[in-house]
Amino acid sequence: MANKDLNYYMDLPYTIQLQLINDGPEPYYYASVLELDGCQSHGDTVEEAYESIREAMEGWLETKLEHGDSIPEPMTEEEYSGKFVVRVPKSLHRQLVIMAAKEGVSLNQYVLHKLSRS
């Protein structure tokens, strides 16, 4: 097992999200790490935001390591089965079945199509 130090965590494939924000006089890029709750930063350019979030990750991880807190690791594709169960009201189930039939596809195909458009 690898030594789980700062370098170990910094080398993991965390999900960095970058978003252009236009809510003030100048647009900027907001950056966050999906798996590291509260790890966020910003920059005037994509490059600055990326560098800034990597620095924020170091600080976030160092603090967690110093205090002995648990640190989430990115989930891999193998950890997802591609299947989940959703309970819906009978009326919605009926509507979905009708819409799938109108499209000439199965309920699974119809729901997958609708979810993939989100």
Side-chain angles (χ1 to χ4, degrees), residues 39-41 51-61:
C39 185
Q40 55 193 355
S41 193
E51 288 178 31
S52 183
I53 195 62
R54 292 292 293 176
E55 289 175 16
M57 284 176 66
E58 281 189 43
W60 194 99
L61 292 165

Side-chain angles (χ1 to χ4, degrees), residues 29-113:
Y29 289 88
Y30 170 77
S32 62
V33 181
L34 181 65
E35 299 88 351
L36 306 180
D37 188 36
C39 185
Q40 55 193 355
S41 193
H42 66 277
D44 292 333
T45 65
V46 169
E47 293 79 13
E48 284 180 18
Y50 182 79
E51 288 178 31
S52 183
I53 195 62
R54 292 292 293 176
E55 289 175 16
M57 284 176 66
E58 281 189 43
W60 194 99
L61 292 165
E62 285 173 343
T63 300
K64 292 292 186 181
L65 288 167
E66 287 172 12
H67 290 95
D69 296 336
S70 65
I71 300 173
E73 295 186 16
M75 293 181 70
T76 63
E77 289 289 323
E78 293 82 34
E79 295 178 65
Y80 297 97
S81 69
K83 178 182 176 180
F84 64 97
V85 176
V86 178
R87 301 239 183 253
V88 296
K90 289 179 182 181
S91 59
L92 177 57
H93 188 182
R94 181 177 183 273
Q95 282 179 311
L96 292 169
V97 168
I98 291 168
M99 295 305 295
K102 284 182 179 179
E103 295 288 328
V105 297
S106 71
L107 178 58
N108 278 343
Q109 289 173 320
Y110 184 76
V111 171
L112 175 61
H113 171 72

